[in-house]
Amino acid sequence: MTNKSMKMNVMISDYPEYAQYIANIITTWNSTEHALGSVFALVVGTDHWHAGRILGALANSGAKLDLVESAGKYTLEYSPRYEEFNNLIAELRAIIQARNTYAHGVYAVDHKGRLNILRQGRDWTHQKGRKLLEINQLKEQWQKSIKAFNNVIRFQNLLCQEMPQSPSAAWLYRCQTQSQHHQTQTPNQPTEQESSDTTPESQPESYQK
C-alpha cells in the first residue's frame, strides 16, 4: 500500500459514529482512573485527597497503575481479595492499552474508504502498523471499559466493608495545622466606623476572642 492509496490524518469528527465510541472509550478510562484513586487510598491507609495528589503527580496511566498494584499487593498479600485484586489489575492493563491506542493513534482512510488507525512509530505500510476500525469492535471495547469501571467500584466497596476505617495521620495533621494557621492569621484592621458597628457575635468565629 502506498501513500496515494491511504488518506492520512483525517479528522475523526468526520466519522461521528466512530468518534462517539472512541470518545466513550477514552473518557470511561478517565472515570476508572479516578475511581482507582479510592482503591489506592484504602490500600495505603490514607485519605482520598492525598491519594489523588500522589497519583496525579504521575502523568502516565501505566505508572499510576504500577503504584496501585505495588501498594495493593503489599496490603492484600494475605487477604482473600489478593487474587481478585491481581485479576482487576490485569483487566485494567488491557483497558489502558486499548485506550492508549485510540487516544494516541493517527487516523486514516484506505483506498476502500474504510477508517483505519495507524500506530505511531510503526511502519503503517505493513498490516501490523495499522488497524481497520469496525463499529462492532469499538462497541465491544467500550463495553469492556464500562465493565472494568464497575469492577473497580465494586472492589472499592468490598474493601470499604472489610477494612478498618480511620482518618489517616497525614489528614489529621493537615486539619490540625490548617486550623492553627487560620487562628494565627491577622485580620484586616476595621475602620473606626466598622469597629463600632461590629459585635463579637457578628465576627468570623476564628477572630472572636
Side-chain angles (χ1 to χ4, degrees):
M1 183 175 287
T2 64
N3 288 338
K4 293 182 179 180
S5 60
M6 180 75 78
K7 181 181 178 182
M8 304 292 292
N9 300 319
V10 301
M11 298 298 294
I12 193 66
S13 57
D14 293 336
Y15 301 83
E17 188 175 7
Y18 290 85
Q20 176 183 354
Y21 284 112
I22 291 170
N24 287 341
I25 291 169
I26 294 172
T27 56
T28 299
W29 170 252
N30 296 342
S31 298
T32 303
E33 192 174 84
H34 179 73
L36 195 61
S38 296
V39 175
F40 180 63
L42 288 167
V43 296
V44 298
T46 189
D47 57 88
H48 181 79
W49 295 273
H50 276 91
R53 288 293 186 94
I54 294 170
L55 292 179
L58 301 174
N60 183 279
S61 293
K64 295 178 184 181
L65 192 59
D66 288 342
L67 191 59
V68 176
E69 180 181 20
S70 179
K73 283 188 172 181
Y74 177 78
T75 301
L76 304 173
E77 183 176 3
Y78 303 104
S79 167
R81 300 292 176 192
Y82 185 77
E83 182 176 357
E84 184 178 359
F85 175 76
N86 286 335
N87 291 338
L88 179 62
I89 294 297
E91 179 183 17
L92 294 177
R93 289 201 185 282
I95 296 297
I96 288 178
Q97 184 177 4
R99 178 265 180 198
N100 288 344
T101 296
Y102 296 116
H104 302 299
V106 176
Y107 294 88
V109 175
D110 64 19
H111 66 287
K112 294 183 179 180
R114 301 174 302 182
L115 189 64
N116 286 248
I117 186 169
L118 313 180
R119 295 167 179 162
Q120 295 189 29
R122 299 285 188 89
D123 183 359
W124 58 266
T125 60
H126 295 288
Q127 187 63 39
K128 291 183 178 181
R130 65 181 186 273
K131 178 182 179 181
L132 178 65
L133 294 182
E134 298 180 0
I135 290 296
N136 288 338
Q137 292 179 347
L138 290 173
K139 184 177 181 180
E140 181 181 354
Q141 184 57 52
W142 180 37
Q143 291 172 341
K144 289 180 179 179
S145 299
I146 294 174
K147 179 184 176 183
F149 169 75
N150 290 332
N151 285 341
V152 171
I153 295 297
R154 184 183 63 82
F155 191 78
Q156 173 200 342
N157 291 336
L158 288 173
L159 290 185
C160 285
Q161 295 171 11
E162 297 175 1
M163 296 182 67
Q165 299 295 305
S166 61
S168 70
W171 182 81
L172 290 174
Y173 180 73
R174 173 182 165 82
C175 290
Q176 177 186 351
T177 54
Q178 181 184 36
S179 176
Q180 293 172 349
H181 172 77
H182 289 323
Q183 290 174 4
T184 57
Q185 292 300 294
T186 303
N188 295 329
Q189 296 297 325
T191 64
E192 183 177 350
Q193 179 64 34
E194 289 174 336
S195 179
S196 62
D197 293 342
T198 303
T199 63
E201 289 75 18
S202 64
Q203 296 178 6
E205 182 178 353
S206 59
Y207 297 157
Q208 293 183 16
K209 303 295 185 182

